[in-house]
Amino acid sequence: MKYYSLTNTTDVKKILFYPQTDIFYENLAIDNNNNYYKNFVDNGRIKINNNSLATNLLDSSPVLSKGLVIDEKFKELLSEFTLPTHKYYKIPTTYKNKKLTFFWLNFVNSTRHLDFNNSYFKIINSIDYSVIGDLKIKSIDFYNRVNKSISFEEQTKIFKLSMKDSFPKLDLISFNEINIKNLISEKLKKRLEEENITGIEVSETNLFKK
């Protein structure tokens, strides 16, 4: 199954102005006992910059490292596709003093379906990106330990991923724990293009082992 990378666009030719959004908290007394995302769901507010455009997919990078912030049109389109376990959270959003309806789509990542034994990782030089050596990853815990042990001049890079037979054929996936976010199927890519969904950047990825 072929996948493509999905990100929000930062191209000012498409959104007119960047940063597109300002994300803030209505209640300044954030509950430190809550996790980061619960605080966003409970208190987060989005303001789209007046000089930018309100697109179907919004930039959520100021505070969110996972999921998607989308409007009702995008949400309705996704209902036609096979998604991982997920939940939509309505986030108060304003644009030019008008209230808009946007949702944060939070979904379970697919890391548990990775076949580490048949995936390829390498350690590369962070400066010139030359390959230092091959890396055999056994698990996510092992991956995290490697990243903590290497120097600042080194980094892990994924060359090919292999999935277990248990992997369901999903139209939206992510592997946040190894820094791969928001991949979409070719079928979903075509629908996004047909419906002229705005605010997106879609690029081909060759991560998956054939």
Side-chain angles (χ1 to χ4, degrees), residues 78-134:
L78 287 177
S79 68
E80 304 171 16
F81 292 86
T82 305
L83 305 185
T85 302
H86 63 281
K87 188 170 183 178
Y88 290 100
Y89 299 91
K90 190 173 180 179
I91 306 298
T93 304
T94 57
Y95 178 51
K96 296 182 178 179
N97 295 319
K98 293 183 179 179
K99 294 182 179 180
L100 303 179
T101 301
F102 275 83
F103 305 86
W104 175 43
L105 167 58
N106 184 23
F107 56 95
V108 174
N109 72 60
S110 298
T111 308
R112 67 190 183 281
H113 296 295
L114 279 177
D115 180 359
F116 285 100
N117 289 328
N118 291 302
S119 297
Y120 300 126
F121 297 77
K122 296 180 185 290
I123 296 179
I124 65 172
N125 185 291
S126 302
I127 299 171
D128 63 13
Y129 301 107
S130 60
V131 174
I132 297 172
D134 294 333

Side-chain angles (χ1 to χ4, degrees), residues 6 56-57 67-84 86-88 103-107 170-173 182-185 187-193 195 197 200:
L6 172 69
N56 302 121
L57 173 67
L68 299 167
V69 175
I70 61 177
D71 68 358
E72 287 184 291
K73 179 180 178 179
F74 202 154
K75 178 175 179 285
E76 184 177 347
L77 184 152
L78 287 177
S79 68
E80 304 171 16
F81 292 86
T82 305
L83 305 185
H86 63 281
K87 188 170 183 178
Y88 290 100
F103 305 86
W104 175 43
L105 167 58
N106 184 23
F107 56 95
L170 300 171
D171 293 300
L172 174 65
I173 59 175
N182 304 331
L183 302 177
I184 58 172
S185 67
K187 183 171 68 172
L188 177 52
K189 170 184 174 289
K190 289 179 179 178
R191 284 287 284 125
L192 295 179
E193 293 169 347
E195 295 297 326
I197 296 298
I200 65 173

Side-chain angles (χ1 to χ4, degrees), residues 174-186:
S174 72
F175 305 99
N176 285 71
E177 292 171 302
I178 55 174
N179 297 316
I180 298 176
K181 304 174 185 176
N182 304 331
L183 302 177
I184 58 172
S185 67
E186 191 161 25

